[in-house]
Amino acid sequence: MQQLSVVILAAGKGKRMVSDLPKVLHSVGGKPLLARVLATASGLEAAVRVVVYGHGGDQVKTVLAGEPEVLWVEQAEQLGTGHAIAQALPLLDDTGVTLVLYGDVPLTRLETLQPLVDQARQGKLALLTVALADPSGYGRIVRNEQGQVRRIVEEKDATPAERGLCEVNTGILAAATTKLRGWVAELGNDNAQGEYYLTDVVAMAVRDGVLVEPFTATEAAEVQGVNDRRQLAELERFYQARQVGALLDHGATLLDPARVDVRGQVTTGKDVVIDVNVIFEGVVQLGDRVKVGAFCVLKDAVIGDDVEIFSHSRIEGATVGAGSQLGPFARLRPGSQLAAGVHIGNFVETKKTSIGPGSKVNHLTYLGDAEIGAGVNVGAGTITCNYDGANKHKTIVDDGAFIGSNSALVAPVRIGKGATVGAGSAVGRDVPDGGLCLTRAPRKDVSNWQRPVKPKS
Ligand code: UD1
Ligand code: CA
């Protein structure tokens, strides 16, 4: 099969974003526009991905440095889409086909693009068009009486009759690389904008007897570019509707699909229920019958079956065992690993901490760099003092231990199996298995205590 090269045009300034950030680094669904387009190219199994960059190129390259094997080409001056492609062509070999995408059109689906690539492999020039109620600003598709595409005319060069055409050019096209190379070499800039228009290749294809195969996108949002913050916000909503639609199709209950945002990937088991104003980021996995309360944020988390997360909890980089209960107002930070049946209550924070089956940490607690065994009860207000100002140290609490309220576990420290720590203790040395540790200061009683009084002025 002829190999596919994808050229992504991204040299535009994006002035209307009113931003210090290059336009293609603005995000939809938590991912930069250009990263989405690169992912689409990978999905099409492109052998080569070329980004034509201009404004803010260094920043763009830095942000997308993790993308494997992207070729970067600078277009120092933005002389038009044809000129942009010309910068990329020297990097492409002649045996394959080339698909042109825009770095600021993030939501085109593979299903929409694959037929264009297929037709280009058949030797045609494939073109993606869309019908718009308001076509202003776009290049218009000019067809003959038989409905065949003859050329594209840019709005500024169009006659009033041509401006009345509602089928517009999305800018996405595919053709054999050799043919594209020949046509692009011929482009001139004798037009209203003095630019090299890539769109002129369509008339050249017709002239050369190459079949032009138009495809029409059914959803305008799929081919919508981002020029300003309004369009960015519109695409975000479109994208979110698509994401929550998929969750509903997989059998999740969303109490209000308009108030759940997916900025990553979520997979759901059976009969999951998600309340309003929940945000998912990164990769999140929800088991069967998981309930997520209102105003929760879940990022990079694996949540077991039958877990209930009460409102206002933030779960990040955590694994939660089956049947556990979290929140309200729980905060699990990266490296939190909860076994089955764990209870984490309100205002409890965990970090790099594992908690064994059935253990309870119900109120006002911080556990950092800790290993908590099974069946442990951690009383309200317990804190692991894991940081000495320079280094982090570990706290180990063995199975069945009971930590009284308001205790400070000064790491490194180990609380033995079945051991008890009395309320209000500051524990700086290990407690043996089955032992009691009590560091509470001895009580002093004074009867008829006279409180200080203010001096009379
Ligand atoms: C272009 C098409 C127009 C189409 C419209 C769809 C041409 C001549 N016109 O319009 O038919 O309806 O897109 O949005 O192709 N870019 C560069 N270098 C340049 C110019 C542009 O990389 O010198 C990139 C931009 O970053 C952007 C894309 O190409 O991603 C389109 O540029 P833009 O200026 O938005 O489109 P137009 O040329 O107005
Ligand atoms: Ca434009």
Side-chain angles (χ1 to χ4, degrees), residues 190-211:
D190 183 16
N191 52 49
Q193 302 183 78
E195 282 183 10
Y196 296 89
Y197 292 166
L198 178 60
T199 44
D200 287 348
V201 304
V202 174
M204 293 176 185
V206 172
R207 177 201 68 197
D208 293 351
V210 172
L211 277 177

Side-chain angles (χ1 to χ4, degrees), residues 1-2 4 96-99 112-128 173-177 179 183 210-215:
M1 198 164 45
Q2 302 161 63
L4 169 66
V97 297
T98 296
L99 170 69
T112 304
L113 295 172
Q114 190 62 57
L116 275 80
V117 175
D118 295 342
Q119 290 304 309
R121 286 186 170 129
Q122 306 294 318
K124 299 180 192 168
L125 171 66
L127 199 63
L128 188 62
L173 58 82
T177 306
K179 299 217 171 89
W183 297 325
V210 172
L211 277 177
V212 178
E213 187 76 52
F215 290 88

